[in-house]
Amino acid sequence: MAERDPYQVLGVSRGASDAEIKKAFRKLARQFHPDRNDGSPQAEARFKEVQAAYDSIGTAEARRTHEQSQMFGGGGNPFGGGGMEDIISQMFGGGMGGMGGMPRGGAQRPRPPTERGQNATAWLDLTQEEAKAGGSFNIKFKQLIPGSHGSIDQKSKMIRLNVKSGTRHGKEMRVKDQGHGHPQGVNGDLIVTIRVDPGEGCRWDGDRIVKEVEVTYSVLMLGGKVTVTLPNGVKGKISIPPLSQVGDRQRVKDIDIEFILSEKEELTEFQKDALEALKDVGL
């Protein structure tokens, strides 16, 4: 399964500052730390995902590296070879010992079938309204093309992409011949992945929107009701079953409500006494 977008994992925008990203990471790391979740495998998996996401975009340098690797489809030679020698060899039609692409002896090497450059990747971010209505949208991406003397040039491009109404998050669209170039062939394709904004306080998990709702420990253990505000602004109460766990979910319409533990910045003396009493009885 492909890794999820680290910005969505941490619940921050692509323009978030270092401080905002760090704050989101610390909150999620505390929430899903295995020591706070009785060794829950689900919590441990989320903790590792959160840590990996922060490693990817936690600093400006890390974000630049991440965006570059994503832009070029995970890195690698876009011309289909292994290293610079392969690129030069491809560009001049064979071994470095030949002149002008001609092998030793002067015999013309048979040309292989038309080769293609690697596919380029890009993302188109849409609001839910835009995805529902469809339309025509500009998209910018980077294209690598063979330059002179074995160099690789980078070219910024913009194209207009037509998106059908009702397009879903994660859909891939292929644009022919707009990918990376090839010194002896034609361009690859451009693969555009649609990313639909799940809404404030929400994230995608596969094709489901997940919204986190804070629940106190007492309600998790004893059951109760909490108020939930859906991305469309509608508010309502949902029932929490007794003995619920952090990470449990309930489906409300087309959204999964996920329980997270409500965190307190400060405790009153009464709350401290109550917690001490709970500790004395094994809770």
Side-chain angles (χ1 to χ4, degrees):
M1 182 182 295
E3 292 184 0
R4 293 200 295 131
D5 180 74
Y7 293 95
Q8 291 190 5
V9 171
L10 297 179
V12 297
S13 69
R14 304 189 75 80
S17 66
D18 287 359
E20 290 172 324
I21 293 174
K22 182 175 291 186
K23 180 179 179 181
F25 163 70
R26 286 177 173 173
K27 177 181 177 181
L28 292 172
R30 289 198 306 267
Q31 176 187 335
F32 292 108
H33 196 284
D35 291 346
R36 302 187 65 179
N37 292 276
D38 296 327
S40 164
Q42 293 83 1
E44 182 177 0
R46 281 282 282 138
F47 178 80
K48 290 180 178 178
E49 183 182 42
V50 167
Q51 180 66 64
Y54 182 74
D55 290 342
S56 295
I57 62 171
T59 64
E61 182 179 357
R63 288 195 294 280
R64 283 194 297 270
T65 301
H66 169 76
E67 293 299 335
Q68 184 178 28
S69 68
Q70 293 297 297
M71 187 72 71
F72 299 149
N77 171 17
F79 304 121
M84 185 58 71
E85 278 191 25
D86 297 321
I87 296 173
I88 295 174
S89 176
Q90 288 177 2
M91 292 188 69
F92 291 101
M96 294 295 292
M99 294 296 293
M102 296 288 291
R104 290 186 175 90
Q108 181 69 42
R109 178 183 300 174
R111 281 191 172 273
T114 301
E115 297 185 72
R116 299 182 65 86
Q118 286 191 354
N119 293 335
T121 57
W123 294 265
L124 178 61
D125 294 312
L126 302 176
T127 65
Q128 293 191 39
E129 292 75 18
E130 289 171 334
K132 183 177 181 180
S136 185
F137 303 91
N138 287 330
I139 182 168
K140 294 181 180 180
F141 61 99
K142 300 290 186 182
Q143 184 186 60
L144 300 185
I145 56 177
S148 58
H149 305 294
S151 65
I152 300 175
D153 296 334
Q154 180 175 295
K155 180 180 179 182
S156 295
K157 295 194 67 175
M158 177 185 289
I159 62 172
R160 196 80 172 162
L161 189 67
N162 293 319
V163 177
K164 293 182 179 180
S165 60
T167 294
R168 298 182 64 84
H169 173 78
K171 176 180 175 58
E172 290 188 346
M173 301 180 65
R174 181 182 293 266
V175 185
K176 296 289 290 183
D177 302 329
Q178 292 294 328
H180 300 311
H182 193 287
Q184 292 180 325
V186 297
N187 290 356
D189 298 334
L190 172 66
I191 309 299
V192 181
T193 302
I194 303 297
R195 297 191 297 204
V196 180
D197 184 0
E200 184 177 357
C202 299
R203 70 176 193 274
W204 287 99
D205 187 357
D207 59 352
R208 298 287 301 172
I209 292 179
V210 178
K211 180 177 177 62
E212 295 176 344
V213 58
E214 291 189 348
V215 183
T216 62
Y217 180 73
S218 59
V219 172
L220 281 175
M221 293 295 95
L222 301 175
K225 293 183 179 293
V226 295
T227 300
V228 175
T229 302
L230 300 179
N232 60 8
V234 174
K235 291 185 177 182
K237 289 185 178 294
I238 62 171
S239 296
I240 309 296
L243 299 179
S244 292
Q245 301 292 321
V246 170
D248 286 354
R249 296 182 183 180
Q250 282 191 24
R251 179 168 295 187
V252 178
K253 296 184 177 180
D254 57 346
I255 296 176
D256 288 343
I257 304 298
E258 182 175 274
F259 307 151
I260 65 173
L261 187 62
S262 177
E263 296 186 355
K264 299 292 185 181
E265 296 295 334
E266 295 181 357
L267 294 174
T268 66
E269 290 301 320
F270 180 78
Q271 289 171 328
K272 290 179 181 178
D273 291 341
L275 289 175
E276 288 291 345
L278 289 175
K279 184 170 67 173
D280 291 341
V281 296
L283 290 177

